[in-house]
Amino acid sequence: ADAGELAAPRKAAEGIAIQALSFIAGDGERLGCFLAATGIGPSEIRAASRQPGFLAGVLEYLASDERLAAAFTAAAGCQPADIAKAHVALGGEPWEREIP
């Protein structure tokens, strides 16, 4: 596989993670829960988003809440399996169980 082939899944995964972050940030209650769970302050989110592993962490957070994951996949027009694939593509560990 050449570098372009390896970059494509990562680029797509980053896109899903950024969509997920926008989805979470688009609702005050969802954002509050995310910030509380991660310990990131509202003013630190932009800097945190540049850290390695942050986007994988966004997907992990999303997948940890089935209702949130279902709402996101409905809004984004993707499948729950896409969240898991994107998480792994961004360097996250595969989950023990798949998202239903």
Side-chain angles (χ1 to χ4, degrees), residues 2 4 6 8 12-13 16 22 24 28 30 36 47-48 50 62 64 69 74 77 80 84 89 93-94:
D2 69 26
L6 295 174
I16 289 174
S22 295
I24 291 166
R30 284 194 295 249
R50 291 192 279 277
L62 183 71
S64 72
E93 292 295 315

Side-chain angles (χ1 to χ4, degrees), residues 1-90:
D2 69 26
E5 287 176 34
L6 295 174
R10 182 169 180 90
K11 205 88 178 133
E14 286 174 354
I16 289 174
I18 290 166
Q19 266 188 293
L21 183 59
S22 295
F23 176 77
I24 291 166
D27 178 274
E29 189 176 325
R30 284 194 295 249
L31 182 59
C33 291
F34 174 75
L35 295 175
T38 60
I40 298 170
S43 62
E44 301 162 342
I45 201 159
R46 182 159 281 142
S49 69
R50 291 192 279 277
Q51 297 300 314
F54 177 80
L55 291 177
V58 168
L59 296 175
E60 195 162 327
Y61 172 79
L62 183 71
S64 72
D65 181 329
E66 289 182 24
R67 280 195 0 222
L68 182 63
F72 170 71
T73 55
C78 64
Q79 299 299 313
D82 295 334
I83 297 170
K85 286 180 200 161
H87 178 256
V88 172
L90 292 172

